[in-house]
């Protein structure tokens, strides 16, 4: 018996057009698949369209005996320009079969092998360009790969050189083709009458493409060459069935077809590949090691193409995650005698009905690829594993006879390009925090994706061209020797390199502070990320490594360095390097506390480096990282370098004050979101908790469990305090001199309010060095003595415990005359603050909400001041229509709803605003269940103060419980009589232990969100529940066995998100 295909209810006249953004349908189709399941139906353009989004159904619809390719709406408009070319022809058109049979040999292995030299020539142009531009050049990845692939297919298909790497202006054919493709996509979104009046440019572009193609054909006919290329195959090839050849119009159509289809997809593949490699350092290192092993330092040859299995696996895995064609269209074959086909055993497909495959979901099907289907894991695509995949699990080149005829061409071109690039360069992201954004046209590519390329092994750009074609052993270049010589004598200062790994900006601020101190001690310090030093750690000078750990993982801009370091096989690779390490970590992650800094320290020693001094470590949870760093550098680092004297007065920043002009500078690392609402959730007199809804910037996407990072502004009250202390008018302008070791903007005027409001942390506790500096500026001896006492015995009690900032101390001791530049040098850069997103994109992918507590408490430093949380107070003051700067930060780890939501119970535990991510979880479940999906049970344990005062989202959650979406269990700390006599959420967990145990036994996954105290309490209770179950069965467990069990479920079945 058949069942109706699920889907959203349409509106009169427009159907479901409001459900899908036709200019970028991928995110919307994925959202609908998450909502309705593996098959759903939309009414678009007056007709029903069925969408397929899992492998099981895909295996059925790619059966070529039942179904066949249908031309998509966009391709129908492209057909206006290239008619019945291979890509745009209907399967029953004679010219498709004719061209397909003639051209199949031209794309065979021998023919593709014969195109290698042309491909190598053009790929070498790209390598040379990047080498000459140097490591500071910001490479537009998609743009340069598009130039490469377009030039390659033009040379191989048309025997024409567009010379895209040597032109500022695009070749007329290329410009016409690009405009034609953009317009083809736009025409699907406009009514026919509008397209009629917007056809002149469209037709002109078609004419340019056809004229160029015609000229190429005529030139080859007039001046024939004995060359086994695609053009000769089309000119002289004969159909083995009919003996016919292609006419000139057919040749022109297919020539243009190859350029359109052949460059877009391969450029996207290469762009996505480099995003994946740069985000996955282990895979990056494995690719480079394979290239080094197979190719070495000699030229890349065609024989190498079949000897790079890991490169091939990476290409396959990239296409799995981001197929450059988002899907293809199918329908019942024209020669199929059945007018109705049943798929999935219950869904009816009628003749003429269009099915569209959603490859973004099919190729991430957890039933085939597991719970880590969203992750980049090339090993699953190695040949043995690849062969075991179901036939419908990987279809980025289309299906069967209508699949991409040029697949072997694209594969050879991509493999060659990767081999050449990885042989000669080390790469790093321009923005280590960049998260993938998609630009959608006929195909998809990364949007705003930039990277840097640095030559490996001291290859000199002048020698590079020779190395591309002639075997060469690595050697130190003359340029490199000149650089070293210059570094050793520049201004008679000694060289020092400071490398940092930092996500939040703290370690970068420490690196800049050390560089300023180094300058005052006779060193010229170069500051850069750890990733910039892959294979290039300088010897014979101090190298300082300043790095943090994030749950045991390196920061984004240190991941490649850590991977490179771990793979070093030469035990003496770092011989001659003198180094020191300072590390930051958080003790809340006990098992991985300071893992990365300690790993750096241990590995440098093992690889032959010499330690300058013992590692310095700081616990950010204790709140005095800057003080810890000052103590380490003064009492260990500088003394170990023999620097025993006082540093010169060079610690501050040179600042010019200009009160006559106005200008502001905006931060560029985040984008503007619009505030839709900002609601108070708690009763009067209770600690303030709020819920803010935002309209996200275009292209910004998130998943349930992700974070929204906010770049706040300092409270205006605190800015006024600084202006008053510094005796500055409100419109004062500051110019920080270029060359200062600072993260602040340099070289142009900025308003003092901008600098103090947007760029620095005004509330950061003072360090001992800060306090000593303030004391030195004081001309009142009594006040100087008191200030110095704060840096001495009173530091922990009076400064650290009370979180007294440099501003607090300067206000308290007005005789201190600290320079503004010295004050700014004490302040770390403004950090982003992360908040768990409390909504689901299934509700509306363009909107997100966050739920937060506003920190406004009496200051511990003085009784008449308030301590104001920077971000929470900033957010509390914004209102509807305001714009704030945000970015999405993906959750690292397993803090997302289960992949198999039908069979995996969810056990969620939270307290306070830790409820935020779970509101998103439950909102998503509500949408899915109401769409007809049958989900496993969900339990939500909530800790709060009182049911009438801070029971967040009470009406919403009560309705969801009534609808069977979730089962709620509360713990009220001030009304325990209403929560089974318990005050804390972990105690409510114990009260419901049988329910919890049953859900976990059925494959359930546990999620915890709240303070570190909540995290610790829940972890202890989960162990107790586990132990109690075995005790009840007479099978007691030892403490070690219980701990072993708990460690075994972490990340896989137990995910926590704790905050200070």
């Amino acid at each position: 018996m058949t069942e109706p295909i699920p889907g959203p209810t349409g509106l009169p006249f427009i159907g479901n057009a409001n459900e899908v953004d036709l200019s970028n349908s991928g995110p919307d189709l994925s959202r609908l698949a998450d909502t309705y399941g593996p098959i759903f139906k939309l009414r678009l353009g007056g007709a029903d369209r069925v969408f397929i989004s899992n492998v099981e159904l895909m295996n059925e619809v790619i059966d070529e005996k039942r179904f066949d390719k249908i031309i998509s709406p966009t391709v129908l408009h492209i057909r206006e320009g290239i008619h019945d070319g291979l890509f745009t022809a209907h399967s029953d058109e004679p010219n498709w079969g004719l061209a397909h049979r003639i051209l199949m040999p031209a794309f065979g292995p021998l023919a593709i092998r014969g195109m290698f030299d042309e491909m190598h020539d053009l790929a070498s142009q790209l390598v040379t360009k990047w080498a000459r531009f140097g490591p500071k050049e910001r490479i537009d990845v998609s743009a340069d790969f598009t130039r490469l692939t377009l030039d390659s297919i033009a040379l191989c298909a048309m025997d024409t050189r567009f010379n895209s790497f040597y032109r500022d202006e695009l070749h007329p054919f290329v410009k016409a083709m690009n405009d034609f493709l953009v317009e083809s996509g736009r025409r699907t979104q406009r009514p026919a009458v509008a397209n009629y009046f917007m056809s002149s440019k469209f037709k002109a572009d078609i004419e340019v493409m056809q004229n160029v193609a015609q000229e190429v054909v005529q030139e080859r006919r007039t001046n024939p060459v004995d060359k086994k290329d695609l053009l000769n195959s089309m000119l002289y090839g004969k159909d083995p069935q009919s003996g016919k050849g292609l006419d000139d119009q057919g040749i022109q159509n297919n020539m243009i077809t190859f350029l359109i289809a052949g460059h877009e997809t391969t450029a996207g593949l290469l762009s996505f590949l480099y995003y994946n490699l740069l985000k996955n350092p282990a895979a990056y290192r494995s690719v480079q090691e394979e290239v080094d092993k197979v190719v070495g330092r000699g030229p890349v040859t065609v024989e190498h193409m079949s000897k790079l299995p890991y490169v091939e696996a990476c290409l396959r895995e990239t296409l799995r995650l981001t197929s450059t064609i988002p899907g293809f269209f199918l329908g019942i074959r024209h020669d199929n005698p059945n007018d109705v086909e049943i798929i999935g055993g219950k869904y009816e497909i009628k003749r003429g009905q269009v099915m569209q495959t959603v490859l973004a979901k099919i190729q991430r099907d957890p039933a085939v690829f597991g719970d880590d289907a969203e992750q980049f894991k090339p090993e699953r695509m190695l040949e043995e594993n690849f062969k075991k995949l179901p036939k419908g699990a990987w279809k980025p080149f289309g299906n069967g006879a209508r699949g991409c005829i040029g697949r072997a061409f694209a594969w050879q071109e991509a493999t060659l390009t990767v081999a050449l690039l990885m042989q000669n360069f080390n790469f790093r992201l321009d923005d280590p925090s960049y998260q993938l954004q998609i630009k959608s046209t006929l195909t998809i590519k990364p949007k705003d994706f930039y990277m840097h390329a640095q030559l490996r092994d001291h290859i000199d750009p002048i020698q590079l061209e020779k190395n591309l074609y002639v075997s060469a052993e690595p050697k130190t270049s003359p340029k490199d020797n000149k650089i070293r010589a210059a570094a050793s004598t520049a201004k008679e200062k000694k060289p020092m390199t400071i490398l940092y790994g930092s996500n939040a900006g703290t370690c970068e601020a420490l690196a800049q502070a050390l560089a300023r101190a180094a300058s005052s001690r006779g060193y010229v310090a170069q500051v850069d990320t750890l990733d910039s030093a892959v294979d290039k750690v300088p010897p014979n000078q101090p190298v300082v490594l300043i790095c943090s750990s994030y749950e045991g993982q390196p920061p984004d801009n240190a991941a490649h360095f850590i991977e490179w370091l771990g793979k070093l096989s030469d035990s003496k690779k770092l011989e001659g390097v003198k180094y020191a390490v300072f590390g930051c970590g958080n003790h809340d992650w006990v098992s991985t506390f300071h893992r990365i800094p300690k790993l750096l320290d241990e590995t440098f020693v093992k690889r032959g480096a010499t330690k300058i001094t013992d590692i310095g470590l700081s616990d950010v949870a204790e709140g005095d990282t800057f003080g810890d760093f000052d103590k380490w550098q003064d009492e260990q680092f500088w003394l170990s370098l023999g620097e025993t004297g006082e540093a010169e007065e060079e610690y501050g920043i040179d600042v010019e004050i200009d009160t006559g002009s106005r200008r502001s500078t905006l931060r560029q690392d985040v984008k503007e979101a619009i505030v839709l609402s900002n609601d108070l959730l708690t009763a009067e007199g209770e600690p303030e908790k709020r819920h803010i809804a935002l309209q996200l910037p275009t292209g910004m996407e998130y998943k349930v469990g992700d974070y929204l990072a906010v770049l706040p502004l300092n409270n205006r009250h605190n800015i006024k305090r600084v202006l008053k202390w510094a005796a500055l008018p409100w419109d004062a302008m500051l110019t920080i001199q270029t060359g200062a070791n600072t993260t602040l903007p340099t070289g142009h005027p900025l308003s003092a309010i901008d600098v103090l409001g947007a760029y620095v942390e005004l509330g950061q506790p003072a360090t001992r060095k800060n306090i000593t500096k303030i004391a030195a500026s004081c001309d009142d001896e009594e006040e100087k003595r008191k200030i110095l006492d704060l840096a001495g015995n009173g530091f922990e009690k009076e400064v650290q415990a009370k979180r007294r900032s440099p501003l607090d101390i300067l206000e308290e001791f007005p005789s201190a005359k600290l320079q503004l530049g010295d004050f700014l040098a004490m302040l770390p850069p403004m950090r982003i603050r992360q908040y768990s997103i409390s909504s689901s994109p299934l509700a509306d992918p363009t909107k997100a909400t966050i739920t937060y507590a506003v920190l406004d408490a009496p200051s511990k430093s003085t009784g008449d001041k308030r301590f104001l949380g920077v971000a929470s107070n900033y957010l509390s003051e914004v209102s509807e229509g305001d714009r704030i700067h945000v970015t999405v930060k993906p959750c690292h780890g397993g803090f997302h709803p289960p992949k198999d939501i039908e069979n995996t119970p969810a056990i969620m535990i939270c307290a306070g605003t830790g409820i935020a991510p779970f509101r998103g979880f439950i909102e998503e479940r509500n949408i899915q269940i109401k769409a007809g999906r049958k989900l496993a049970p969900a339990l939500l344990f909530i800790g709060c103060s009182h049911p009438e005062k801070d029971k967040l989202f009470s009406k919403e959650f009560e309705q969801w419980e009534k609808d069977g979406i979730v089962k709620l269990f509360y713990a009220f700390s001030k009304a325990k009589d209403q929560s089974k006599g318990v005050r804390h959420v972990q105690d409510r967990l114990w009260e419901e232990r049988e329910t919890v145990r049953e859900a976990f036994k059925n494959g359930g996954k546990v999620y915890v969100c709240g303070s570190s105290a909540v995290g610790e309490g829940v972890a202890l209770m989960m162990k107790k529940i586990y132990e109690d179950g075995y005790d009840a069965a007479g099978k007691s467990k030892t403490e070690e066995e219980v701990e072993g069990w708990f460690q075994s479920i972490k990340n896989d079945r137990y995910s926590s998100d704790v905050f200070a």
Side-chain angles (χ1 to χ4, degrees):
M1 187 174 180
T2 60
E3 292 182 9
I5 298 172
T9 304
L11 297 173
F13 305 112
I14 67 169
N16 299 117
N18 62 319
E19 294 281 354
V20 181
D21 177 3
L22 294 178
S23 65
N24 182 22
S25 62
D28 287 327
L29 295 180
S30 292
R31 170 179 57 84
L32 289 164
D34 287 337
T35 303
Y36 293 97
I39 184 170
F40 59 93
K41 182 171 64 176
L42 299 176
R43 189 157 187 82
L44 300 171
D48 288 343
R49 189 183 303 175
V50 175
F51 294 83
I52 306 298
S53 65
N54 77 349
V55 172
E56 184 180 358
L57 289 174
M58 183 70 156
N59 287 337
E60 285 198 65
V61 301
I62 59 173
D63 181 352
E64 292 183 273
K65 294 178 181 178
R66 302 166 67 193
F67 305 104
D68 197 7
K69 175 182 173 178
I70 290 178
I71 303 303
S72 73
T74 300
V75 175
L76 283 173
H77 288 291
I78 294 174
R79 186 180 162 91
E80 295 179 49
I82 55 178
H83 312 298
D84 54 2
L86 276 173
F87 178 53
T88 51
H90 299 291
S91 297
D92 56 351
E93 285 187 290
N95 273 352
W96 177 80
L98 182 69
H100 190 263
R101 291 187 293 272
I102 289 173
L103 287 167
M104 279 296 288
F107 284 99
L110 287 177
I112 297 298
R113 190 181 177 92
M115 300 175 195
F116 181 85
D117 288 344
E118 283 98 338
M119 292 181 181
H120 190 286
D121 176 35
L122 292 163
S124 298
Q125 291 179 20
L126 175 66
V127 172
T128 303
K129 174 190 174 181
W130 286 359
R132 290 177 178 171
F133 273 63
K136 298 297 183 184
E137 177 70 11
R138 190 168 177 251
I139 295 169
D140 186 335
V141 180
S142 295
D144 271 3
F145 280 142
T146 299
R147 292 185 182 94
L148 168 68
T149 56
L150 184 61
D151 280 17
S152 295
I153 191 66
L155 184 60
C156 294
M158 297 173 59
D159 197 24
T160 298
R161 286 186 179 270
F162 288 149
N163 291 320
S164 299
F165 291 117
Y166 304 107
R167 293 173 180 266
D168 292 328
E169 295 282 327
L170 292 173
H171 187 284
F173 180 97
V174 178
K175 187 177 188 311
M177 182 183 68
N178 288 341
D179 292 348
F180 166 72
L181 291 175
V182 170
E183 176 62 15
S184 295
R186 289 174 177 167
R187 290 170 86 83
T188 63
Q189 302 167 47
R190 296 194 296 251
V193 65
N195 286 333
Y196 176 81
F197 289 105
M198 301 179 72
S199 293
S200 57
K201 175 69 165 63
F202 188 61
K203 291 178 179 178
D205 289 333
I206 292 172
E207 185 177 3
V208 169
M209 293 190 298
Q210 288 285 353
N211 286 344
V212 171
Q214 184 180 38
E215 289 170 10
V216 170
V217 172
Q218 290 175 349
E219 170 64 22
R220 179 63 67 88
R221 288 200 185 279
T222 304
N223 300 291
V225 295
D226 184 17
K227 185 178 181 182
K228 293 181 179 179
D229 62 4
L230 291 174
L231 184 52
N232 272 356
S233 295
M234 288 188 286
L235 284 168
Y236 306 117
K238 300 298 180 184
D239 176 15
Q241 285 187 12
S242 66
K244 294 180 180 179
L246 291 169
D247 59 23
D248 281 6
Q249 185 61 58
I251 294 171
Q252 291 168 207
N253 291 339
N254 280 296
M255 194 183 301
I256 300 169
T257 296
F258 295 148
L259 263 77
I260 290 173
H263 89 280
E264 281 272 314
T265 49
T266 313
L269 165 60
L270 287 166
S271 302
F272 284 123
L273 172 71
Y274 272 85
Y275 170 80
N276 287 326
L277 292 179
L278 288 169
K279 283 292 187 178
N280 295 274
Y284 177 104
R285 191 58 46 199
S286 295
V287 167
Q288 198 161 59
E289 286 175 354
E290 182 174 80
V291 171
D292 289 348
K293 181 180 178 181
V294 174
V295 181
R297 299 306 304 151
V300 179
T301 67
V302 70
E303 286 76 19
H304 293 132
M305 297 297 94
S306 61
K307 299 175 181 177
L308 298 166
Y310 195 78
V311 170
E312 184 170 37
C314 288
L315 292 170
R316 287 171 174 163
E317 180 72 344
T318 293
L319 285 176
R320 182 186 73 82
L321 289 171
T322 44
S323 171
T324 51
I325 58 162
F328 47 89
F329 292 72
L330 298 163
I332 294 178
R333 284 183 65 92
H334 67 281
D335 55 359
N336 184 337
N338 299 323
D339 287 332
V340 175
E341 288 282 352
I342 304 297
I343 63 173
K346 56 187 175 182
Y347 300 117
E348 190 177 85
I349 304 296
K350 297 177 181 178
R351 183 175 298 280
Q353 193 165 42
V354 176
M355 293 183 291
Q356 182 176 341
T357 62
V358 185
L359 294 182
K361 299 301 291 185
I362 293 167
Q363 297 185 164
R364 300 181 185 207
D365 188 343
V368 174
F369 297 104
D371 285 346
D372 60 358
E374 301 283 340
Q375 298 176 25
F376 180 75
K377 289 195 171 181
E379 291 73 17
R380 71 171 117 234
M381 288 293 173
L382 290 169
E383 191 67 19
E384 184 177 349
N385 296 328
F386 184 67
K387 287 180 178 179
K388 295 176 183 177
L389 290 176
K391 59 184 179 180
W394 192 81
K395 287 290 180 180
F397 289 101
N399 183 56
R402 293 307 305 264
C404 176
I405 196 173
R407 172 175 172 174
F409 181 98
W411 215 247
Q412 179 171 286
E413 180 182 17
T415 305
L416 165 64
T417 302
V418 173
L420 275 173
L421 293 178
M422 301 304 277
Q423 179 192 44
N424 290 288
F425 294 104
N426 287 319
F427 296 96
R428 59 186 173 90
L429 287 165
D430 177 60
D431 175 7
S433 64
Y434 171 81
Q435 296 299 324
L436 186 62
Q437 299 178 49
I438 301 295
K439 178 181 180 182
S440 179
T441 52
L442 176 63
T443 62
I444 61 170
K445 293 178 184 175
K447 180 183 179 184
D448 299 332
F449 172 40
Y450 299 92
M451 67 183 184
H452 297 268
Q454 184 169 31
L455 283 170
R456 297 177 66 195
D457 302 325
H458 310 294
I459 300 171
D460 190 283
I462 298 170
Q463 298 292 323
L464 178 61
E465 189 169 349
K466 183 184 292 184
N467 291 355
L468 289 173
Y469 298 98
V470 181
S471 180
E473 291 299 317
K475 61 182 181 179
T476 304
S477 68
K479 176 183 175 183
D480 195 61
N481 289 331
K482 290 177 185 177
I483 291 172
R484 290 182 183 174
S488 65
T489 57
K491 299 182 181 179
E492 297 183 354
K493 286 192 173 186
K494 296 168 284 187
M496 176 183 289
T497 296
I498 304 171
L499 303 170
Y500 65 87
S502 178
N503 277 358
T506 300
C507 287
E508 182 180 0
L510 297 178
Q512 297 289 0
L514 183 61
R516 292 194 293 271
S519 180
S520 69
R521 293 179 181 270
Y523 288 88
V524 55
Q526 297 296 319
V527 180
D528 213 331
T529 64
L530 278 160
D531 279 352
S532 71
V534 169
D535 213 25
K536 290 183 179 290
V537 181
N540 304 319
Q541 60 174 276
V543 177
V544 186
L545 315 171
I546 304 173
C547 191
S548 54
S549 272
Y550 292 88
E551 299 182 41
Q553 299 303 309
D556 293 338
N557 52 14
H560 285 269
F561 187 85
I562 296 298
E563 186 66 27
W564 166 77
L565 198 63
K567 292 292 183 68
L568 285 180
S569 56
D570 183 359
S571 62
K572 301 299 181 184
K573 178 69 176 179
L574 299 178
E575 204 166 62
V577 173
K578 300 176 181 178
Y579 80 99
V581 176
F582 186 86
C584 302
N586 189 314
H587 71 244
D588 286 339
W589 286 275
V590 178
S591 61
T592 58
F593 191 32
H594 291 135
R595 175 181 172 268
I596 298 302
K598 289 177 179 178
L599 180 65
L600 287 169
D601 190 41
E602 294 164 4
T603 311
F604 262 59
V605 168
K606 289 178 182 177
R607 295 293 175 257
T610 302
K611 187 183 296 191
I612 295 170
T613 187
D614 289 338
I615 187 172
L617 297 170
S618 178
D619 183 357
V620 296
E622 298 296 331
D624 192 31
T625 296
F626 291 88
D628 292 340
F629 182 70
D630 284 345
K631 182 177 181 180
W632 174 79
Q633 64 163 311
D634 290 341
E635 297 180 9
Q636 289 182 229
F637 178 68
W638 292 119
L639 291 177
S640 297
L641 286 177
E643 300 290 332
T644 56
E646 289 294 318
E648 300 171 18
E649 279 296 323
E650 236 182 273
Y651 188 71
I653 299 170
D654 188 7
V655 178
E656 293 179 4
I657 300 175
D658 177 4
T659 60
S661 63
R662 300 171 185 266
R663 189 175 179 182
S664 64
T665 300
L666 297 176
R667 297 288 291 256
Q668 299 300 317
D669 54 344
V670 285
K671 296 182 179 179
E672 284 188 354
I674 301 171
V675 177
L676 301 175
S677 62
N678 192 356
D679 299 323
L680 179 65
L681 300 178
T682 46
E684 186 176 350
E686 289 296 304
E688 189 174 335
K689 296 181 176 69
R690 305 189 72 91
H691 183 67
I692 187 168
L694 300 168
Q695 180 76 45
L696 294 176
T698 301
M700 189 172 287
E701 299 174 8
Y702 72 96
K703 296 178 182 177
V704 170
D706 285 346
Y707 303 104
L708 196 71
V710 178
L711 183 66
L713 298 174
N714 281 310
N715 189 273
R716 197 167 183 83
H717 171 73
N718 288 333
I719 298 171
K720 287 180 179 179
R721 288 171 58 199
V722 180
L723 295 177
K724 182 178 180 180
W725 161 75
L728 294 176
W730 69 270
D731 58 352
M733 305 297 290
L734 311 180
T735 301
I736 299 168
Q737 296 304 297
T738 302
N741 286 303
T742 179
T743 54
L744 295 173
T746 60
H748 59 274
L750 286 162
S751 77
I753 290 177
D754 271 353
V755 172
L756 298 172
Y759 290 96
V760 293
E761 295 279 356
L762 295 178
Q764 180 70 33
T767 66
R768 282 188 168 92
K769 183 168 284 188
N770 295 159
I771 298 168
T772 303
K773 187 80 173 178
I774 292 170
S777 72
C778 189
D779 52 19
D780 183 305
E781 291 301 321
E782 179 60 22
E783 287 203 345
K784 179 183 288 190
R785 183 188 61 75
K786 291 180 180 179
I787 296 171
L788 288 173
D789 283 345
L790 293 177
N793 295 331
F795 182 75
E796 284 79 6
K797 182 179 178 181
E798 295 298 323
V799 179
Q800 272 190 289
K802 295 182 178 180
R803 296 188 60 82
R804 289 165 91 166
S805 68
L807 179 59
D808 290 331
I809 296 169
L810 288 165
E811 288 177 324
E812 188 176 344
F813 299 100
S815 67
K817 306 299 181 186
L818 190 71
Q819 294 295 310
L820 180 61
D822 290 331
F823 174 72
L824 291 177
M826 294 176 180
L827 307 178
M830 177 66 78
R831 296 182 291 106
I832 56 174
R833 270 70 168 179
Q834 292 188 172
Y835 294 92
S836 292
I837 296 175
S838 55
S839 58
S840 166
L842 298 191
D844 187 336
T846 68
K847 297 180 177 65
T849 68
I850 55 176
T851 305
Y852 60 98
V854 180
L855 180 56
D856 182 354
S859 170
K860 295 178 181 178
S861 59
T862 56
D864 60 342
K865 292 180 183 176
R866 307 287 296 175
F867 181 80
L868 306 175
V870 177
S872 62
N873 279 273
Y874 165 67
L875 289 173
S876 72
E877 294 179 358
V878 300
S879 56
E880 182 181 352
D882 286 347
R883 294 170 183 265
I884 65 174
H885 288 97
V886 303
T887 189
V888 170
K889 294 286 186 180
C891 167
H892 296 294
F895 211 89
H896 292 295
K899 292 292 180 186
D900 186 3
I901 55 176
E902 285 85 358
N903 299 302
T904 309
I907 305 162
M908 298 163 282
I909 307 149
C910 64
T913 54
I915 199 173
F918 300 135
R919 181 186 178 274
F921 277 46
I922 307 306
E923 183 178 49
E924 184 150 297
R925 286 178 58 86
N926 177 58
I927 293 167
Q928 291 167 328
I929 289 173
K930 289 187 174 178
R933 303 186 72 177
K934 295 177 174 60
L935 307 189
L939 313 176
L940 177 58
F941 292 81
I942 306 169
C944 54
S945 173
H946 194 281
E948 295 178 4
K949 296 182 178 180
D950 66 345
K951 189 179 178 183
L952 307 184
F953 309 112
S954 57
K955 291 182 180 179
E956 193 172 39
F957 276 101
E958 285 167 8
Q959 185 61 49
W960 283 337
E961 184 173 39
K962 182 179 178 182
D963 293 342
I965 311 300
V966 65
K967 179 69 175 172
L968 302 176
F969 305 92
Y970 282 94
F972 299 116
S973 61
K974 295 181 180 178
K976 67 177 184 176
D977 56 309
Q978 298 186 51
S979 55
K980 286 197 171 183
V982 300
R983 297 180 184 275
H984 305 295
V985 68
Q986 59 266 37
D987 297 323
R988 187 63 195 266
L989 199 65
W990 175 253
E991 286 296 317
E992 311 296 339
R993 57 190 177 277
E994 291 302 329
T995 303
V996 172
R997 201 155 27 221
E998 183 66 19
F1000 195 81
K1001 178 183 175 183
N1002 291 331
K1005 185 170 180 180
V1006 179
Y1007 304 87
V1008 184
C1009 187
S1011 67
S1012 56
V1014 170
E1016 291 168 5
V1018 171
L1020 288 171
M1021 193 59 70
M1022 285 299 296
K1023 295 175 191 177
K1024 184 178 178 181
I1025 292 172
Y1026 173 77
E1027 188 175 15
D1028 174 72
Y1030 276 91
D1031 286 345
K1035 301 176 181 178
S1036 298
K1037 295 285 185 179
T1038 65
E1039 186 176 330
E1040 291 75 16
E1041 288 174 324
V1042 172
E1043 184 62 31
W1045 166 80
F1046 185 71
Q1047 293 301 324
S1048 73
I1049 66 169
K1050 288 181 72 173
N1051 297 322
D1052 179 28
R1053 296 185 63 191
Y1054 185 98
S1055 297
S1056 63
D1057 183 5
V1058 298
F1059 46 84

